[in-house]
Amino acid sequence: MTTVSDSLKLITTVDQLKYYLIQAMKIEHATIPPYMTALYSIKPGTNLEAFHIIRAVAVEEKPLK
């Protein structure tokens, strides 16, 4: 039986670090379209609380320039 700690590996090289950082960025950026779809599916003037929450999350996920 494998445990979580058995499957975790230390990052020991710069190349490994770059790889995992790129993967993390891809995951973060992949969340933007669903948030934007949800945001724009809310009819104007309805459910403003949900609109503001989703918008705040989407803004946090946007890529840096």
Side-chain angles (χ1 to χ4, degrees):
M1 174 183 229
T2 12
T3 64
V4 174
S5 61
D6 291 336
S7 64
L8 296 178
K9 305 224 185 294
L10 290 177
I11 297 171
T12 57
T13 67
V14 172
D15 285 339
Q16 287 176 335
L17 178 61
K18 286 180 184 177
Y19 171 80
Y20 287 110
L21 288 173
I22 289 169
Q23 297 309 307
M25 288 173 29
K26 286 180 180 180
I27 291 169
E28 288 295 314
H29 293 163
T31 61
I32 296 171
Y35 287 133
M36 297 306 290
T37 300
L39 183 66
Y40 289 110
S41 71
I42 297 173
K43 292 181 180 172
T46 65
N47 209 344
L48 291 177
E49 183 180 5
F51 177 87
H52 291 296
I53 291 169
I54 296 169
R55 184 180 180 281
V57 172
V59 167
E60 287 178 17
E61 299 292 339
K62 77 176 184 179
L64 299 174
K65 291 187 178 190

